[in-house]
């Protein structure tokens, strides 16, 4: 499990931003409309919020789980079941917006879904097996990935 986490961390924090930088360099075009600058700024804010979300969620999980012996349902985990994956999504989406190319956004979303949807479903099966009804109850009251009113939308 640690090897997979290290690989995903490497892809997320090294390869993706580097690749997006080169994508922007190769497809450089001048920013014309003011809203393009707004999207780039929004992208950078999303990257920052994503990093902060991952840091807070990881710290709370480490201190609250008792090495996997207790289901973590407080702090950010009270709003979404997977705040670290949500943070990763925000980082990637923000980077894709900062590149300001629609193809980058589509590639990121498809890549994210291909990597993280199966991972989330696999982890949910493991947690259901480990925590049983407690985890099923938690799933009923807590959205998977997107907090608040948007959580009604299918998988999320």
């Amino acid at each position: 499990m640690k090897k997979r986490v290290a690989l995903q961390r490497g892809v997320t924090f090294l390869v993706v931003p580097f690749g997006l930088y080169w994508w922007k360099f190769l497809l450089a075009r001048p920013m014309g409309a003011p809203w393009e600058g707004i999207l780039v700024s929004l992208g950078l804010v999303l990257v920052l919020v994503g990093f902060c979300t991952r840091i807070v969620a990881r710290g709370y999980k480490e201190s609250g789980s008792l090495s996997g012996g207790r289901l973590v349902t407080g702090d950010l985990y009270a709003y979404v079941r997977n705040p670290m994956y949500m943070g990763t999504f925000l980082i990637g989406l923000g980077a894709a917006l900062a590149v300001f190319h629609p193809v980058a956004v589509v590639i990121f979303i498809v890549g994210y879904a291909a990597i993280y949807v199966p991972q989330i479903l696999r982890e949910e099966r493991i947690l259901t097996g480990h925590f049983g009804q407690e985890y099923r109850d938690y799933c009923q009251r807590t959205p998977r990935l997107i907090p608040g009113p948007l959580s009604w939308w299918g998988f999320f």
Side-chain angles (χ1 to χ4, degrees), residues 1 4-5 8 82 85 112-126 155:
M1 181 97 103
R4 176 193 53 79
V5 171
Q8 286 179 346
N82 299 287
Y85 293 146
Y112 181 90
I115 292 170
Y116 288 103
V117 168
Q119 180 64 33
I120 290 169
L121 295 175
R122 187 172 30 256
E123 289 177 4
E124 286 181 350
R125 285 191 302 273
I126 292 168
F155 174 81

Side-chain angles (χ1 to χ4, degrees), residues 34-131:
W35 58 270
E36 292 180 15
I38 292 170
L39 280 180
V40 170
S41 298
L42 174 64
L44 295 175
V45 168
L46 287 176
V47 169
L48 179 62
V49 169
F51 273 117
C52 292
T53 299
R54 283 192 55 85
I55 290 166
V56 169
R58 181 68 179 178
Y60 187 79
K61 181 181 170 190
E62 297 257 338
S63 66
S65 74
L66 298 175
S67 299
R70 188 171 73 190
L71 183 62
V72 178
T73 60
D75 200 46
L76 291 178
Y77 291 87
Y79 300 101
V80 292
R81 296 192 309 257
N82 299 287
M84 287 193 289
Y85 293 146
M86 182 184 75
T88 300
F89 181 80
L90 293 174
I91 292 166
L93 181 62
L97 286 174
V99 167
F100 192 71
H101 200 282
V103 174
V105 174
V106 171
I107 288 172
F108 165 71
I109 291 172
V110 169
Y112 181 90
I115 292 170
Y116 288 103
V117 168
Q119 180 64 33
I120 290 169
L121 295 175
R122 187 172 30 256
E123 289 177 4
E124 286 181 350
R125 285 191 302 273
I126 292 168
L127 290 167
T128 300
H130 189 71
F131 293 107

